Amino acid sequence: MTVKTILTEPNKILRQVSLPVEKVGNEERQLMDDMLETMYDAKGIGLAAIQIGVPKRIIVMDIGNREKEKEPMYFVNPIIKNKNSEHSTYEEGCLSVPNQFAEVNRPSTCEIEFLDYNGNKKILNASGLLATCIQHEMDHLEGILFIDYLSKLKKMMIVKKLSKQKNKIDRIIV
Ligand code: GNR
Ligand code: NI
């Protein structure tokens, strides 16, 4: 297992639409292992493959208590079967939008069909943080970031801040 570099906004790769996985094989499992290690290392609760530059429809998550045992979840080719017309608001963050947080409104519950780590078809009824997180991750598969839901001004301020931070880092390296 390897910790990979997480791409950050404004990197165009994050805007790619990810492609369905044909078969959950060893290559995909290796990718999921690396994604999970990268996610734990960055102290996140979810990660989509595109965040480490791989345009495949694969997500890993662990919304369990960090002090307790790990509870990894794997989603390959997830599809939303149903979503609640009732919405709820969560303060969201994203490993690809470091240190920025904002409230986002999403369906409060949803039903997801997906393939698990072993390629078996599963159905999950998600609510609460689980529902929010899976929808946030599935947005990544479409090249969508949570800042896309904010007002133009709020989004601009965040992107500008991140661009400045990136320039600083680049200057240090050069
Ligand atoms: O670590 C994360 N926390 C989080 C908090 C609220 C809503 C969504 C998330 S997902 C985020 C990790 C991430 O960027 N996944 O793509
Ligand atoms: Ni994210």
Side-chain angles (χ1 to χ4, degrees):
M1 290 213 257
T2 321
V3 174
K4 304 281 185 181
T5 304
I6 297 175
L7 307 179
T8 57
E9 172 78 358
N11 186 320
K12 285 226 167 65
I13 292 170
L14 290 168
R15 299 310 187 164
Q16 281 185 27
V17 176
S18 296
L19 297 172
V21 171
E22 282 193 23
K23 183 175 161 276
V24 183
N26 287 336
E27 194 181 317
E28 284 72 27
R29 278 185 280 274
Q30 169 81 54
L31 172 61
M32 289 191 261
D33 293 346
D34 289 348
M35 286 168 63
L36 202 69
E37 178 137 346
T38 304
M39 183 193 80
Y40 285 135
D41 180 71
K43 308 205 176 336
I45 58 172
L47 192 79
I50 195 64
Q51 292 180 276
I52 57 167
V54 181
K56 289 187 181 183
R57 301 185 81 83
I58 296 180
I59 290 163
V60 298
M61 281 171 47
D62 188 338
I63 60 163
N65 189 331
R66 221 163 269 143
E67 263 83 277
K68 297 211 180 113
E69 226 170 291
K70 288 181 175 151
E71 295 171 21
M73 290 186 279
Y74 307 91
F75 301 89
V76 178
N77 298 343
I79 298 169
I80 296 195
K81 283 291 187 183
N82 253 311
K83 47 189 168 186
N84 204 326
S85 57
E86 237 176 75
H87 286 59
S88 57
T89 303
Y90 262 93
E91 170 116 305
E92 296 198 15
C94 181
L95 295 172
S96 296
V97 188
N99 305 315
Q100 309 299 320
F101 303 89
E103 291 201 329
V104 179
N105 205 34
R106 300 182 188 272
S108 56
T109 66
C110 57
E111 187 183 55
I112 312 283
E113 189 182 287
F114 61 99
L115 301 177
D116 68 9
Y117 193 80
N118 298 308
N120 298 316
K121 199 187 241 189
K122 290 269 171 70
I123 287 186
L124 174 76
N125 282 297
S127 63
L129 180 60
L130 182 59
T132 293
C133 193
I134 189 75
Q135 291 176 72
H136 172 114
E137 302 309 337
M138 286 182 69
D139 272 353
H140 278 300
L141 306 184
E142 303 302 326
I144 297 169
L145 300 173
F146 82 92
I147 52 172
D148 300 346
Y149 297 111
L150 309 180
S151 72
K152 259 189 191 163
L153 184 65
K154 264 193 193 166
K155 181 177 171 178
M156 258 176 48
M157 290 199 304
I158 289 177
V159 175
K160 215 170 152 184
K161 249 190 236 168
L162 293 177
S163 305
K164 272 190 187 162
Q165 279 175 20
K166 263 195 182 168
N167 282 336
K168 245 190 220 165
I169 293 164
D170 290 347
R171 272 205 296 278
I172 294 164
I173 291 165
V174 173

